[in-house]
């Protein structure tokens, strides 16, 4: 895994965006699996600027969904669905009917819903770029600490840390119990995995990700063994790292 430390979140987001654009330019019909949450929002804004300036052609990319809170859909502000449609797919002018494949967190059979998206991922030939935020507990999507390495997609009971941290996304108190997610097996099979994190609050989990044991106890650490794994962080998130890492 290559570690790229930038002076601030804006520079880190730009650097990660440049990597994404480089990959899409090489493969215009790339399959993209982008996380919601707070961390990727500046990357999304950079991509939208590039699209509006005609600096990138996204007409052939496909977006597949990483995760969603069980029971939530577009009508809940802060759901992954609402975040990604409003902050990314719609402003990018992506063909929502044909080129976006998203979990319905309100499906009556969430397990079947997880397999529906998994099948689409497989039909598209797998994921080219997984862009993943790192949870405070190291989760990737809703692959919580101790996650099954063999899971391709499924339903996961939410870790207490995720339930607590998750409150920041919503205006009202919600009783969130499970997440629907692509599994570690599918995510780690992506051709490129780009991890992003910022601010000092993520410094401890970044240290565990980079310098701790490679183990599903900290799912983000598993990306260390990926042949095309990247970690884009700002100085705050890098604060507890020892050794030499690439700066920009
Ligand atoms: P965040 O979420 O980008 O809002 O910090 C990361 C995560 O929990 O996966």
């Amino acid at each position: 895994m290559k570690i790229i430390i930038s002076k601030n979140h804006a520079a880190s987001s730009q650097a990660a965006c440049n990597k994404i654009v480089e990959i899409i330019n090489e493969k215009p019909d790339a399959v993209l699996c982008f996380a919601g949450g707070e961390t990727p929002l500046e990357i999304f804004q950079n991509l939208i600027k590039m699209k509006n300036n005609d600096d990138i052609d996204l007409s052939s990319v496909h977006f597949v969904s990483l995760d969603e809170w069980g029971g939530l859909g577009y009508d809940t502000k802060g759901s992954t669905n609402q975040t990604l449609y409003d902050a990314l797919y719609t402003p990018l002018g992506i063909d929502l009917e044909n080129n976006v494949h998203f979990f319905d967190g309100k499906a009556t059979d969430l397990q079947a819903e997880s397999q529906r998206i998994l099948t689409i991922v497989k039909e598209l030939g797998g994921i080219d770029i997984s862009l993943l935020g790192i949870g405070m507990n190291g989760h990737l999507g809703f692959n919580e600490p101790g996650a099954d390495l063999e899971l391709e997609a499924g339903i996961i009971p939410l870790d207490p840390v995720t339930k607590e941290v998750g409150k920041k996304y919503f205006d009202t108190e919600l009783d969130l119990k499970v997440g629907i997610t692509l599994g570690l097996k599918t995510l780690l099979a992506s051709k490129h995995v780009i991890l992003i994190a910022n601010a000092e609050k993520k410094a401890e989990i970044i240290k565990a990700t980079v310098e701790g044991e490679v183990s599903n106890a900290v799912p983000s650490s598993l990306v260390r063994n990926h042949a095309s794994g990247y970690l884009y962080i700002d100085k705050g998130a890098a604060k507890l790292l020892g050794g030499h890492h690439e700066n920009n």
Side-chain angles (χ1 to χ4, degrees):
M1 184 173 76
K2 194 169 167 190
I3 301 165
I4 302 95
I5 302 171
S6 299
K7 60 180 185 296
N8 55 36
H9 185 45
S12 183
S13 298
Q14 188 60 57
C17 183
N18 292 347
K19 172 52 71 178
I20 291 166
V21 169
E22 181 190 310
I23 296 167
I24 295 173
N25 283 339
E26 276 168 20
K27 191 174 183 211
D29 61 349
V31 177
L32 310 174
C33 178
F34 286 11
E38 291 175 342
T39 318
L41 295 176
E42 283 201 48
I43 296 178
F44 297 171
Q45 285 159 13
N46 294 338
L47 273 178
I48 292 162
K49 258 186 238 151
M50 291 188 71
K51 161 74 176 41
N52 290 342
N53 291 335
D54 282 332
D55 288 336
I56 185 167
D57 177 9
L58 294 168
S59 58
S60 303
V61 300
H62 281 261
F63 282 96
V64 296
S65 112
L66 168 66
D67 61 13
E68 182 56 282
W69 306 87
L72 301 193
Y74 180 79
D75 54 348
T76 301
K77 188 168 178 300
S79 65
T80 317
N81 191 308
Q82 183 269 322
T83 304
L84 284 170
Y85 275 79
D86 288 355
L88 188 67
Y89 308 146
T90 302
L92 281 181
I94 304 296
D95 177 347
L96 301 178
E97 276 294 300
N98 298 306
N99 290 26
V100 175
H101 315 279
F102 213 92
F103 287 132
D104 176 6
K106 292 181 155 188
T108 40
D109 186 344
L110 286 177
Q111 180 58 30
E113 177 63 4
S114 74
Q115 299 307 302
R116 180 182 74 84
I117 295 297
L118 177 64
T119 301
I120 293 171
V121 170
K122 289 184 176 177
E123 283 169 0
L124 290 169
I127 297 167
D128 291 292
I129 307 175
S130 284
L131 172 68
L132 308 173
I134 300 178
M136 294 295 284
N137 61 4
H139 77 188
L140 300 177
F142 283 128
N143 294 281
E144 303 283 24
D148 178 1
L149 291 166
E150 292 303 314
L151 185 76
E152 295 186 289
I155 312 305
I156 305 216
L158 298 177
D159 183 86
V161 172
T162 300
K163 284 188 190 170
E164 189 55 37
V165 172
K167 289 180 183 166
K168 72 176 176 175
Y169 303 119
F170 306 109
D171 300 336
T172 52
E173 197 151 323
L174 298 167
D175 186 20
L176 301 165
K177 293 195 175 71
V178 297
I180 178 169
T181 190
L182 292 182
L184 288 176
K185 189 165 183 187
T186 304
L187 296 176
L188 293 172
S190 305
K191 290 177 194 71
H192 310 275
V193 179
I194 299 176
L195 301 180
I196 49 174
N198 75 297
E200 275 186 39
K201 69 175 182 191
K202 294 274 174 82
E204 274 186 35
I205 194 62
I206 290 302
K207 188 173 176 62
T209 300
V210 173
E211 295 175 0
E213 200 190 330
V214 174
S215 148
N216 65 346
V218 178
S220 49
S221 70
L222 298 166
V223 180
R224 296 230 301 272
N225 289 339
H226 194 285
S228 187
Y230 297 84
L231 173 65
Y232 289 87
I233 47 178
D234 68 350
K235 283 219 167 88
K239 199 174 167 201
L240 300 176
L241 294 184
H244 291 286
H245 300 293
E246 189 178 330
N247 290 281
N248 84 337

